[in-house]
Amino acid sequence: MGKSNLDLVGELDKFPYYDDNPAFYAAHLKKHHAFKVNGCDAVLGYILNSVVAKFNWPTEHWAVDSTRQTVTLTTAADATPEQRSAVIAATLEAEAKRGTFEVLKGWRNELYAVYAPGGKFLLGMERCATPLFGVVSYGVHGTCYVEDEQGLHLWVPRRSKTKQTYPGMLDNSVAGGMSTTERPFECFVREASEEASLPEDIVKATTKSVGCISYFYVRDSRAGGETDLLQPEVEYIYDMKLSRDIVPKPSDNEVEEFKLYTVEETKRALANGEFKPNCAIVLIDFFIRHGILTPENEPDYFEILTRMHRRFEFPTASHFAN
Amino acid sequence: MGKSNLDLVGELDKFPYYDDNPAFYAAHLKKHHAFKVNGCDAVLGYILNSVVAKFNWPTEHWAVDSTRQTVTLTTAADATPEQRSAVIAATLEAEAKRGTFEVLKGWRNELYAVYAPGGKFLLGMERCATPLFGVVSYGVHGTCYVEDEQGLHLWVPRRSKTKQTYPGMLDNSVAGGMSTTERPFECFVREASEEASLPEDIVKATTKSVGCISYFYVRDSRAGGETDLLQPEVEYIYDMKLSRDIVPKPSDNEVEEFKLYTVEETKRALANGEFKPNCAIVLIDFFIRHGILTPENEPDYFEILTRMHRRFEFPTASHFAN
């Protein structure tokens, strides 16, 4: 017996739900401090108590309240995002030098955005540090597929065996994280070129925005670094219907090869746990939207759909281009 | 300024969320009793305290605990669904005769299903009574559309002015409630024939299952009968791509006419509040899946997607056909 689709969703959406067991949920929350920023009422993420204890929080910029279990960035209430980001960068660089946290060894020089209520940009934070603060991160995932008289086939890449995270696992055709300055589709076009060698004009002509998925991930050993760090994520989803003559190819050393999978081959690889956890969910969403998984053939249809569209207790981005 | 898409979602998904304000949520819950069935641990729905007070609960079959705020059907733990359904029917018929509740005047002789954890069928309940118990109900909604060189057009029916609920409002091409014995696609085929005069073979050849939406509705005056009754709903969603020569037509007196709307006309009617509330959300979901609403043009993209896929604190159905 392989993994069910709900098993796969459950491996990704792992943070408990209040409704399932209020007492357990409250006890679990107690293992974390709330991450806050002066001038913003909202909780922005949850930091493991063990992380709070190991961190060196410079008192001129940070206030740790161990009774209320909060860690607050104390920059002025009217500070600019740049000012907040600079303080966070200095704190994180010092920790990286001290070598306190495994995850900071994966420093990428890439800023991820944290938002205030209303989707307002609040600050940027080095990508590899976001799981330490448990803030929401954003990415794009897309499925390239061929649908013709030979049926439906999906382009499935295998991650390079030397990749830092999830080496050798199967991936989505196109996937990547969104840095502070990017909008979703712009990010998708860049990733499609970088990871699948697909030219911009083909991507723009064939890609359809089809929704987003969200889940509250709790990192395990496969993600690398400290375990139990929180990683609530939003992934904007794209479908890309390609004609059979357009073939995605690796263009950097992150992808080993692309192969065209049938639906049955993809389902088998899912059940075998061969896909990177969040990529599995993107494919389950694809199968639901394309009528391959239905209420009649998927026993956990409703539970899967709600858990892959999890609402967060944290403010989230608006990428509205006004 | 018309209604935003998030306004429309908010009119439908109205029950508060714990995370938004735990104190408010707890106070709001206190206005309800939990509906339970002997032999099943789960809460199956919320009954307004004012409804509990007006109801005549025969003590041989019902236990009202005003301290714990529960109403429990006390049939034997190993009772059959038929036995539970019979007791509920007798209780409801007596109330209908007494004329206690407005909503029971809409008696339809149609049973809706209530499920135990794991999607097990627990009991059937007269359709018009389900909002009194706040149990989850299930339906099917589908959008018939034409997509050709003239662009994308949607088939939009107007509800008859004599309909009991939401008279004269715009509707989805095909929509209806699922009774106890039906599976979603089977229900959809029936509704497409009854409401849009679409023959079974065309429906089966052109319909794609594309997901489900869910929301926790609180009834207002437009729904008819008592207000503030709870109606958590799951709607299985279908897309039906039709060629231009296939024209849906009213076949009963529930629909006045079908008209082919452009995307812009549909958006305007949405903003004007012309659609029945849950039908508006089905169209927003359609627009998201078809790349018409995107993260870049819809400021509330993420919030909309999570709220139209609400997870419930109640057990839900599995329509798995094993």
Side-chain angles (χ1 to χ4, degrees), chain A residues 115 138-140 178-179 181-190 204 207-212 235-238 317-322, chain B residues 5 267 287-288 291-302 304-305:
Chain A
Y115 298 89
Y138 302 84
V140 296
M178 275 175 64
S179 62
T181 54
E182 279 183 317
R183 289 226 162 75
F185 186 61
E186 178 190 358
C187 176
F188 187 80
V189 173
R190 176 180 58 73
K204 289 191 170 166
T207 302
K208 193 159 76 168
S209 164
V210 292
C212 70
E235 306 287 3
Y236 297 99
I237 303 297
Y238 298 89
S318 176
H319 298 290
F320 187 54
N322 40 6
Chain B
N5 291 322
K267 282 186 176 176
F287 287 163
I288 288 173
I292 294 164
L293 291 177
T294 70
E296 286 84 358
N297 69 24
E298 170 48 68
D300 304 305
Y301 195 77
F302 176 71
I304 287 170
L305 266 154

Side-chain angles (χ1 to χ4, degrees), chain B residues 8-23:
Chain B
L8 293 166
V9 173
E11 286 182 18
L12 196 65
D13 184 46
K14 261 177 129 166
F15 197 80
Y17 284 85
Y18 169 81
D19 284 326
D20 288 348
N21 188 336

Side-chain angles (χ1 to χ4, degrees), chain A residues 208-225:
Chain A
K208 193 159 76 168
S209 164
V210 292
C212 70
I213 61 168
S214 50
Y215 45 84
F216 203 148
Y217 186 48
V218 180
R219 286 166 71 101
D220 60 33
S221 59
R222 291 176 298 179

Side-chain angles (χ1 to χ4, degrees), chain A residues 17-20 25 29 46 183-186 208-214 233-234 236-238 287-303 305-307 309-314 316-322, chain B residues 17-20 25 29 46 183-186 208-214 233-234 236-238 287-303 305-307 309-314 316-322:
Chain A
Y17 284 84
Y18 169 80
D19 283 327
D20 289 347
Y25 178 85
L29 262 195
Y46 299 142
R183 289 226 162 75
F185 186 61
E186 178 190 358
K208 193 159 76 168
S209 164
V210 292
C212 70
I213 61 168
S214 50
E233 287 192 313
V234 177
Y236 297 99
I237 303 297
Y238 298 89
F287 286 163
I288 288 173
R289 288 183 295 97
H290 287 261
I292 294 163
L293 292 176
T294 71
E296 286 85 357
N297 69 24
E298 170 49 67
D300 304 305
Y301 196 75
F302 176 72
E303 174 79 354
L305 265 154
T306 56
R307 289 188 62 185
H309 292 102
R310 183 163 184 161
R311 191 165 178 258
F312 296 131
E313 49 268 67
F314 316 117
T316 45
S318 176
H319 298 290
F320 187 54
N322 40 6
Chain B
Y17 284 85
Y18 169 81
D19 284 326
D20 288 348
Y25 178 85
L29 262 195
Y46 299 142
R183 287 225 164 76
F185 186 61
E186 178 191 358
K208 193 159 75 167
S209 164
V210 293
C212 70
I213 61 167
S214 50
E233 287 192 314
V234 177
Y236 296 100
I237 303 297
Y238 298 89
F287 287 163
I288 288 173
R289 288 184 294 97
H290 287 262
I292 294 164
L293 291 177
T294 70
E296 286 84 358
N297 69 24
E298 170 48 68
D300 304 305
Y301 195 77
F302 176 71
E303 175 79 354
L305 266 154
T306 56
R307 290 188 61 185
H309 292 101
R310 184 162 182 162
R311 192 166 179 260
F312 297 130
E313 48 269 66
F314 315 118
T316 45
S318 176
H319 299 290
F320 187 53
N322 39 5

